[in-house]
Amino acid sequence: MFKISIASSNEEASETAFEIIRSIVTENPQPVLGLATGSSPVGLYQKMIEAYKKGLSYRSCITFNLDEYVGIDKNHEQSYYTFMHENLFNGIDIPEEQIHIPCGSNGNEDQACREYEEEISRYTVDVQVLGIGSDGHIAFNEPGTPFDSVTHIMPLTEQTRKDNARFFGGNIDLVPKTAITQGLATIMRAKKIILIATGNNKAQAVYDMISGPVTVDCPASILQRHPDVTVILDQEAASKLK
Ligand code: GLP
């Protein structure tokens, strides 16, 4: 079930998302946070850092990230490991051993998938933060991914590699061709989901997710079957909704 919130600015969108995270962090003895990369959650992460500076502690949190590129080292400047440390973890107090990010560079991807799924299965994610790809993907579950998928290796679509080329100096050839990602069934186990989407290039995917049929052609449409999804949009991303 979707609760849709339309923000008048990025600032307001980040604040709405942050208030949900704050209540989970303050109300649970061991909060389990599902985190995402991409530009959509960056404002939320800034709010989390600001709150830490004012006294909010994340020391008891456990985190699970959604995905990671395959074939680049975790210390590569565009790895999701680096992204998360630069945009959030270096600014707050979660101990490193409580942070989980899939590993795409140990040379044994099947094992990495199995181990990640096993580890996350030992917890219940209290809240999962999501963005959405312009092709309707969530995490790196591209169109066609089965709804019962767990952590797996995913070839990236041309569209996704084009969208993400901006992080690789605009050069699509530098964007990895595959990723390791939580599956749709993994994501659906989270108790609560917050999906943030802004900008015109997300409007169609947002419409398909909320108002289209539940189909693997739009992986995010599976969220129609989740009991608690807050969708935070700006006017542009909401522009195709009735
Ligand atoms: C990437 C990530 C997704 C993210 C999507 C949208 O492909 N794997 O988790 O939601 O991009 O990114 P952005 O928020 O930058 O538009």
Side-chain angles (χ1 to χ4, degrees):
M1 214 209 298
F2 293 115
K3 210 170 108 198
I4 300 171
S5 157
I6 302 179
S8 56
S9 63
N10 273 345
E11 169 70 19
E12 194 183 304
S14 304
E15 188 58 38
T16 305
F18 173 65
E19 285 311 323
I20 298 172
I21 299 284
R22 184 208 292 275
S23 63
I24 286 168
V25 169
T26 50
E27 285 163 18
N28 288 276
Q30 188 191 57
V32 183
L33 308 180
L35 301 176
T37 53
S39 38
S40 305
V42 168
L44 161 66
Y45 297 158
Q46 284 164 358
K47 298 266 170 212
M48 288 175 71
I49 293 170
E50 280 165 28
Y52 167 69
K53 288 183 182 150
K54 291 183 192 146
L56 179 66
S57 175
Y58 301 89
R59 202 181 300 267
S60 58
C61 292
I62 299 203
T63 69
F64 284 92
N65 263 79
L66 288 169
D67 49 11
E68 178 60 284
Y69 289 116
V70 165
I72 57 174
D73 189 75
K74 74 175 195 182
N75 294 313
H76 185 285
E77 57 174 1
Q78 289 308 332
S79 76
Y80 285 171
Y81 177 92
T82 300
F83 177 96
M84 287 308 301
H85 284 77
E86 284 178 350
N87 285 284
L88 180 64
F89 297 140
N90 292 348
I92 60 175
D93 61 346
I94 301 183
E96 186 66 29
E97 62 275 15
Q98 288 161 219
I99 293 170
H100 303 82
I101 302 176
C103 175
S105 62
N106 75 353
N108 189 339
E109 290 134 29
D110 290 340
Q111 188 188 2
C113 291
R114 249 192 336 267
E115 286 175 0
Y116 200 73
E117 188 65 28
E118 254 168 49
E119 186 64 12
I120 194 171
S121 300
R122 296 170 53 215
Y123 298 88
T124 298
V125 173
D126 291 304
V127 60
Q128 175 64 59
V129 176
L130 292 178
I132 184 170
S134 63
D135 63 0
H137 74 232
I138 47 177
F140 266 134
N141 293 288
E142 296 283 27
T145 305
F147 289 150
D148 62 358
S149 51
V150 294
T151 305
H152 62 114
I153 299 295
M154 187 81 231
L156 302 181
T157 61
E158 182 78 6
Q159 181 62 52
T160 296
R161 293 182 65 235
K162 242 187 239 167
D163 287 349
N164 289 3
R166 68 188 193 278
F167 300 114
F168 291 83
N171 184 351
I172 189 171
D173 295 331
L174 297 180
V175 183
K177 294 195 169 70
T178 50
I180 174 170
T181 180
Q182 285 186 32
L184 294 169
T186 322
I187 294 170
M188 286 292 281
R189 291 200 303 263
K191 263 198 232 165
K192 186 181 201 50
I193 289 177
I194 305 174
L195 185 143
I196 307 168
T198 56
N200 264 325
N201 68 325
K202 301 293 175 70
Q204 187 62 45
V206 166
Y207 173 85
D208 292 342
M209 164 177 77
I210 293 173
S211 306
V214 177
T215 161
V216 294
D217 296 340
C218 176
S221 65
I222 185 66
L223 299 176
Q224 290 181 28
R225 296 190 184 150
H226 192 284
D228 185 358
V229 184
T230 299
V231 182
I232 304 172
L233 306 171
D234 67 356
Q235 300 282 352
E236 289 187 354
S239 61
K240 286 194 195 299
L241 298 175
K242 300 272 144 46

